[in-house]
Amino acid sequence: MTRRRAGLPYALPLVAFLAALFLVPLVRLLRLSFSPVDAFNAALPGFTFEQYARVFTEPYFYGSLLRTLATALLVAVLCVALAYPAAYLLARRRPGVLRTLLFVIVISPLLTSVVVRTYGWVVLLSGNGLVNRALVGSGLRDQPAQLLTSYPAVVVAVTHVLLPFAIIPLTTALGGLDRNLHRASQTLGAGPIRTFLRVTVPLSLPGAVTGALIVFALAMGIYITPLLVGGVTQPLTGIRVYDQVTTVFDYPVAAALSFALLALTVVSTGLLAGVFRIWERRLHG
């Protein structure tokens, strides 16, 4: 028996435990999504497609799926664009105190609760917050703007929360680049911008794609940050599910909407990964 197979019996209990915690709730939720309901939205025995028909025919539900997809794509693009400067700085720094300090700054948000970080944005964007004080103090506005409960505020806050997930894989990709390629590019007459676009970006594409896919998948399911910053009226699927569970008490519709979001996330992530792979192959010949 090989060493790998000898360790398999010790891993089986953990695998079975994790699979049970993931699969059992998922199967029960799937069963609930096909349950008919009475006049009080209580699940009844039986089988029906009524919940999925509502999800894909009522604008209140399918509109939130489309808005969630668009928001996740926007956040993924913003995170990768913002991650490049930080990742480039980290990758170019030699090991030392400053590099360690920069890396701690990058990953420190991951050690803090999402709720705490989101409330930081609530404090900043509130009517008496720092942003509104700056706008009024500088004369750009006569009175505080309604920043909270706005869609741009949701995009900014979600981008900030998920940004480290784009920086880390991009730093790894940039750190593996041969610095002689940049010197060769500049020796041949390319400026810093052209070197970045023609050398750095193509060679770091795997890290950028990995970060973009991670951010996209997380943004599809995030709801705490949009809920606290944007309010319950934001047309995002996570908030719609929350609303169906806590306000309407329609658990079968919430389950059907959750599975529709899960299916959309899996299909979209697969399509994006395929598109990125084709792009990468064409880029590198």
Side-chain angles (χ1 to χ4, degrees), residues 74-143:
L74 177 60
V75 169
V77 171
L78 290 175
C79 280
V80 171
L82 294 174
Y84 256 106
Y88 194 82
L89 183 62
L90 275 171
R92 287 296 170 186
R93 281 286 170 187
R94 297 184 183 279
V97 176
L98 182 57
R99 189 174 189 273
T100 303
L101 181 62
L102 291 173
F103 192 72
V104 169
I105 292 174
V106 168
I107 66 169
S108 58
L110 299 178
L111 307 177
T112 309
S113 168
V114 174
V115 176
V116 173
R117 282 185 282 162
T118 302
Y119 267 115
W121 279 105
V122 173
V123 172
L124 286 174
L125 300 177
S126 64
N128 197 30
L130 184 63
V131 175
N132 267 318
R133 287 185 180 179
L135 291 175
V136 175
S138 62
L140 294 176
R141 288 190 62 87
D142 298 329
Q143 56 185 1

Side-chain angles (χ1 to χ4, degrees), residues 2-285:
T2 63
R3 182 178 298 179
R4 181 178 298 178
R5 290 186 176 181
L8 189 59
Y10 299 101
L12 282 178
L14 177 61
V15 173
F17 178 70
L18 294 176
L21 288 181
F22 176 72
L23 292 177
V24 171
L26 206 62
V27 170
R28 290 182 64 86
L29 198 64
L30 181 63
R31 177 67 187 88
L32 181 63
S33 69
F34 288 104
S35 298
V37 296
D38 60 14
F40 302 97
N41 294 328
L44 300 173
F47 185 88
T48 181
F49 287 102
E50 182 181 351
Q51 327 305 335
Y52 287 96
R54 289 187 59 192
V55 167
F56 291 109
T57 57
E58 295 184 11
Y60 180 78
F61 295 121
Y62 74 73
S64 72
L65 288 170
L66 296 177
R67 176 59 73 93
T68 302
L69 179 63
T71 303
L73 287 172
L74 177 60
V75 169
V77 171
L78 290 175
C79 280
V80 171
L82 294 174
Y84 256 106
Y88 194 82
L89 183 62
L90 275 171
R92 287 296 170 186
R93 281 286 170 187
R94 297 184 183 279
V97 176
L98 182 57
R99 189 174 189 273
T100 303
L101 181 62
L102 291 173
F103 192 72
V104 169
I105 292 174
V106 168
I107 66 169
S108 58
L110 299 178
L111 307 177
T112 309
S113 168
V114 174
V115 176
V116 173
R117 282 185 282 162
T118 302
Y119 267 115
W121 279 105
V122 173
V123 172
L124 286 174
L125 300 177
S126 64
N128 197 30
L130 184 63
V131 175
N132 267 318
R133 287 185 180 179
L135 291 175
V136 175
S138 62
L140 294 176
R141 288 190 62 87
D142 298 329
Q143 56 185 1
Q146 185 62 39
L147 299 176
L148 284 178
T149 70
S150 68
Y151 179 70
V154 171
V155 173
V156 170
V158 173
T159 300
H160 166 253
V161 168
L162 299 181
L163 185 58
F165 294 100
I167 294 178
I168 293 173
L170 199 49
T171 302
T172 304
L174 290 172
L177 298 185
D178 189 350
R179 299 190 179 189
N180 291 324
L181 294 174
H182 295 84
R183 296 192 186 99
S185 176
Q186 293 173 358
T187 302
L188 293 173
I193 296 177
R194 192 171 185 181
T195 299
F196 176 78
L197 294 177
R198 301 297 295 272
V199 177
T200 304
V201 171
L203 293 178
S204 62
L205 195 57
V209 170
T210 302
L213 291 178
I214 293 174
V215 169
F216 173 79
L218 293 174
M220 286 291 287
I222 195 169
Y223 81 97
I224 284 290
T225 300
L227 180 66
L228 294 178
V229 174
V232 75
T233 58
Q234 289 297 319
L236 299 175
T237 305
I239 297 178
R240 293 284 189 261
V241 172
Y242 173 84
D243 187 50
Q244 290 297 309
V245 171
T246 60
T247 305
V248 186
F249 304 110
D250 195 341
Y251 293 93
V253 164
L257 191 56
S258 300
F259 270 96
L261 179 63
L262 176 62
L264 182 62
T265 303
V266 172
V267 172
S268 303
T269 305
L271 288 175
L272 287 174
V275 170
F276 283 136
R277 184 173 292 274
I278 293 173
W279 182 31
E280 187 180 2
R281 285 178 179 174
R282 289 187 175 181
L283 203 60
H284 295 291

